[in-house]
Every structure is written in C-alpha cells, then in structure tokens.
Amino acid sequence: MIKKIISTFVAILCGSLMFEARSFDPQYEQITFNNVIGSLVFGLIYISPIVIVFGILPQS
C-alpha cells in the first residue's frame, strides 16, 4: 500500500512539473518563485484526481 502512495505522489509531482513547463512562456514572464509554485499547485489540483482515478483504483 505504501508503494502505491509513494508512486502516486511521484506521478503527481512529475505531471505537475510537465504542466508547469508547458504553461511557462519566457518571452512574457520572468521566472519567479510565485510563478513556479502557482503553476505547480494548479497542476496538482487538476492532475491528482486523474492519477488517483485512472492509476490507483484499477490496480486495487
């Protein structure tokens, strides 16, 4: 069970990092801590339910 939880957190973190990298436009924005954290939280909000529903539940 702990392996599922750890792999879920890693998948959510990787997905939110990819979302943050995709949504960043260096021509219009500067890299600030608030921009990075804001994009990570936005990615966590939308990626975590998808990972939980399609990743963990079918394995049970």
Side-chain angles (χ1 to χ4, degrees), residues 41-56:
V41 170
F42 189 76
L44 285 172
I45 290 171
Y46 287 105
I47 291 173
S48 58
I50 294 170
V51 169
I52 291 170
V53 169
F54 292 114
I56 293 179

Side-chain angles (χ1 to χ4, degrees), residues 3-25:
K3 289 181 181 179
K4 287 183 183 181
I5 294 171
I6 291 172
S7 65
T8 301
F9 285 130
V10 170
I12 291 170
L13 182 64
C14 290
S16 63
L17 285 173
M18 288 190 301
F19 179 80
E20 192 272 328
R22 173 80 170 105
S23 66
F24 181 71
D25 189 8

